[in-house]
């Protein structure tokens, strides 16, 4: 059957494409449902300095293009459509895509990653793309000569702020606590940058402006005082939400991360998980790739056991 695969991998970030590399090299017929925006979060970043093998770093999109080419080189079939649903009761599993195609898989690896977590404050949603963004490398150039805010205190917020210094006149990081959780090296770069200001112990509570961003309301988390501040752009970098909503029937925790029972196995035999969709702890490209490798090796083992 043409549409029958040994493994269907859903997602095409480092986890999905590494799984595809390993499964194809194990001679497993592999389909990657890549998504219409393929490549995951690294497609939205600039220089990646902590992926081993690149002494000078590598641009995120270049790394993903190389991973995709490598998986394809070894025989992975990749469809650039979105996953729609799956039937885990049938064997083989049935996987449907948003162009109404159906594929069959002896096994499935879920590697759909995670998406931006927004602040969920009044005025935010309607201004996404009109001054509110979660991607400085994508949208930073629109803020040349302007003043912008970055919300968050992790490495993503530090990275966004540093990227924005290339364009903006002033970058202000607003963080809800009085210390960052970002790595020391990123904090140091931010704190030493002449264009970056930091407002600790504060939260954005509302975004205001006529069809764009003009002001924010900001609340001091220590004394609850609210003040207004003029600003041209708000970059949100407060973490990510796992892309697990479409996987009903697969166990998830209260935050939506897919539960792992044993070495990338989900609650459904033959369905595995890899990367940020299950990993609330490490969330690195290199750990996602490693989970993809593990999931593919588990798939190989499972199929061998089934065949014997
Ligand atoms: P993190 O979870 O590390 O940080 C999220 C930040 O947002 C925290 O400071 C948190 O505050 C704050 N926050 C969360 N929710 C809200 C909210 N509703 N309102 C206001 N603030 C909020 O996520 P990141 O995306 O920064 O990083 C994820 C992982 O990716 C980390 O492991 C990080 O190290 C890694 N990473 C590494 C990079 C690099 O090495 N170059 C670049 C980017 C990411 P609080 O601290 O109070 O919880």
């Amino acid at each position: 059957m043409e549409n029958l695969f040994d493994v269907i991998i859903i997602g095409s970030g480092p986890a999905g494409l590494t799984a595809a590399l390993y499964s194809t090299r194990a001679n497993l017929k592999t389909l990657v449902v890549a998504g219409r925006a393929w490549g995951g979060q690294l497609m939205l970043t600039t220089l990646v300095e902590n992926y081993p093998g690149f002494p000078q770093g590598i641009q995120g999109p270049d790394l993903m293009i190389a991973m995709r080419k490598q998986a394809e080189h070894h025989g992975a079939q990749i469809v650039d459509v979105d996953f729609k649903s799956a039937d885990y009761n049938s064997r083989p599993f049935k996987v449907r895509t948003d162009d109404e195609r159906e594929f069959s898989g002896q096994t499935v690896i879920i590697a759909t990653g995670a998406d931006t977590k927004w602040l969920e404050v009044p005025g935010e949603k309607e201004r996404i793309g009109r001054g509110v963004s979660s991607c400085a490398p994508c949208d930073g150039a629109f803020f040349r000569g302007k003043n912008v805010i970055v919300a968050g205190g992790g490495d993503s917020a530090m990275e966004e702020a540093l990227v924005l210094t290339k364009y903006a006149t002033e970058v202000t990081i607003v963080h809800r606590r009085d210390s960052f959780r970002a790595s020391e090296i990123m904090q140091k770069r931010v704190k030493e940058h002449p264009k970056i200001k930091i407002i600790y112990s504060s939260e954005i509570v509302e975004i205001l402006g006529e069809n764009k961003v003009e002001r924010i309301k900001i609340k001091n988390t220590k004394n609850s005082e609210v003040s207004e501040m003029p600003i041209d752009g708000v970059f949100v970098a407060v973490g990510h939400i796992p892309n697990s909503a479409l996987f009903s029937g697969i166990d998830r925790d209260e935050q939506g991360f897919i539960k792992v029972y044993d070495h990338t196995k989900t609650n459904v035999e033959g369905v595995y998980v890899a990367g940020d969709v299950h990993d609330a702890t490490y969330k690195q490209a290199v750990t996602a790739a490693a989970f993809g490798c593990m999931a593919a090796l588990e798939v190989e083992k499972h199929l061998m056991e089934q065949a014997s």
Side-chain angles (χ1 to χ4, degrees), residues 68-170:
R68 179 174 175 139
K69 280 189 184 154
Q70 197 174 0
E72 283 175 326
H73 173 75
H74 288 284
Q77 294 181 46
I78 301 183
V79 288
D80 290 295
V81 292
D82 283 341
F83 167 80
K84 188 174 170 189
S85 63
D87 177 358
Y88 307 109
N89 293 318
S90 63
R91 294 289 185 281
F93 301 113
K94 302 269 179 254
V95 169
R96 284 169 217 97
T97 50
D98 70 344
D99 57 350
E100 303 306 333
R101 275 189 283 173
E102 186 176 272
F103 301 94
S104 300
Q106 306 287 8
T107 59
V108 167
I109 298 175
I110 300 170
T112 42
D115 273 345
T116 301
K117 175 179 166 187
W118 295 100
L119 295 170
E120 309 287 348
V121 295
E124 177 186 51
K125 202 170 167 197
E126 58 271 33
R127 289 182 184 80
I128 294 172
R130 296 172 174 192
V132 174
S133 170
S134 66
C135 180
C138 320
D139 299 331
F142 296 121
F143 297 88
R144 216 175 278 279
K146 302 199 166 169
N147 296 329
V148 295
I149 291 265
V150 175
D155 280 326
S156 297
M158 307 298 116
E159 196 174 73
E160 293 281 286
L162 290 164
V163 169
L164 287 166
T165 58
K166 286 194 253 166
Y167 311 102
T169 302
E170 187 175 78

Side-chain angles (χ1 to χ4, degrees), residues 50 117 119 152-157 159 175-177 181 186 203 237-240 281-284:
N50 53 9
K117 175 179 166 187
L119 295 170
D155 280 326
S156 297
E159 196 174 73
H175 180 42
R176 63 184 177 184
R177 288 187 300 118
R181 71 166 60 233
M186 296 296 273
E203 283 177 335
V238 297
H240 291 87
T281 309
Y282 304 107
K283 299 181 270 185
Q284 303 297 302

Side-chain angles (χ1 to χ4, degrees), residues 8-283:
I8 298 179
I9 297 164
I10 305 165
S12 57
L17 292 177
T18 305
L21 172 64
Y22 273 77
S23 60
T24 48
R25 294 197 74 253
N27 220 11
L28 301 179
K29 191 178 172 196
T30 301
L31 176 73
V32 179
V33 178
R36 290 183 186 273
W38 77 274
Q41 292 172 54
L42 284 188
M43 297 299 273
L44 305 177
T45 190
T46 50
L47 194 64
V48 179
E49 291 181 307
N50 53 9
Y51 199 88
F54 302 95
Q56 309 302 322
I58 180 168
Q59 293 292 319
D62 291 345
L63 180 58
M64 295 321 299
I65 289 165
M67 282 193 201
R68 179 174 175 139
K69 280 189 184 154
Q70 197 174 0
E72 283 175 326
H73 173 75
H74 288 284
Q77 294 181 46
I78 301 183
V79 288
D80 290 295
V81 292
D82 283 341
F83 167 80
K84 188 174 170 189
S85 63
D87 177 358
Y88 307 109
N89 293 318
S90 63
R91 294 289 185 281
F93 301 113
K94 302 269 179 254
V95 169
R96 284 169 217 97
T97 50
D98 70 344
D99 57 350
E100 303 306 333
R101 275 189 283 173
E102 186 176 272
F103 301 94
S104 300
Q106 306 287 8
T107 59
V108 167
I109 298 175
I110 300 170
T112 42
D115 273 345
T116 301
K117 175 179 166 187
W118 295 100
L119 295 170
E120 309 287 348
V121 295
E124 177 186 51
K125 202 170 167 197
E126 58 271 33
R127 289 182 184 80
I128 294 172
R130 296 172 174 192
V132 174
S133 170
S134 66
C135 180
C138 320
D139 299 331
F142 296 121
F143 297 88
R144 216 175 278 279
K146 302 199 166 169
N147 296 329
V148 295
I149 291 265
V150 175
D155 280 326
S156 297
M158 307 298 116
E159 196 174 73
E160 293 281 286
L162 290 164
V163 169
L164 287 166
T165 58
K166 286 194 253 166
Y167 311 102
T169 302
E170 187 175 78
V171 179
T172 305
I173 301 177
V174 174
H175 180 42
R176 63 184 177 184
R177 288 187 300 118
D178 57 9
S179 64
F180 289 140
R181 71 166 60 233
S183 56
E184 287 302 325
I185 184 169
M186 296 296 273
Q187 289 198 37
K188 188 165 181 285
R189 284 183 198 166
V190 157
K191 287 173 184 170
E192 287 175 356
H193 201 291
K195 277 190 177 180
I196 298 179
K197 252 178 58 183
I198 300 166
I199 303 180
Y200 290 108
S201 305
S202 295
E203 283 177 335
I204 297 170
V205 288
E206 190 170 355
I207 300 172
L208 304 149
E210 283 289 319
N211 282 323
K212 57 179 182 170
V213 174
E214 291 174 339
R215 304 181 309 285
I216 53 163
K217 272 192 188 162
I218 185 166
K219 181 174 147 190
N220 183 309
T221 52
K222 289 199 165 148
N223 60 20
S224 295
E225 261 176 33
V226 177
S227 54
E228 274 196 20
M229 179 177 164
I231 205 75
D232 303 304
V234 176
F235 285 78
V236 179
V238 297
H240 291 87
I241 296 173
N243 288 320
S244 64
L246 294 177
F247 298 103
S248 54
I250 303 294
D251 287 356
R252 287 166 284 174
D253 69 14
E254 51 297 331
Q255 290 176 305
F257 290 97
I258 289 182
K259 285 191 184 173
V260 180
Y261 288 91
D262 177 25
H263 289 89
T264 74
K265 291 177 187 151
T266 68
N267 58 308
V268 176
E269 194 187 348
V271 179
Y272 299 80
V273 64
D276 287 8
V277 69
H278 87 274
D279 169 30
T281 309
Y282 304 107
K283 299 181 270 185

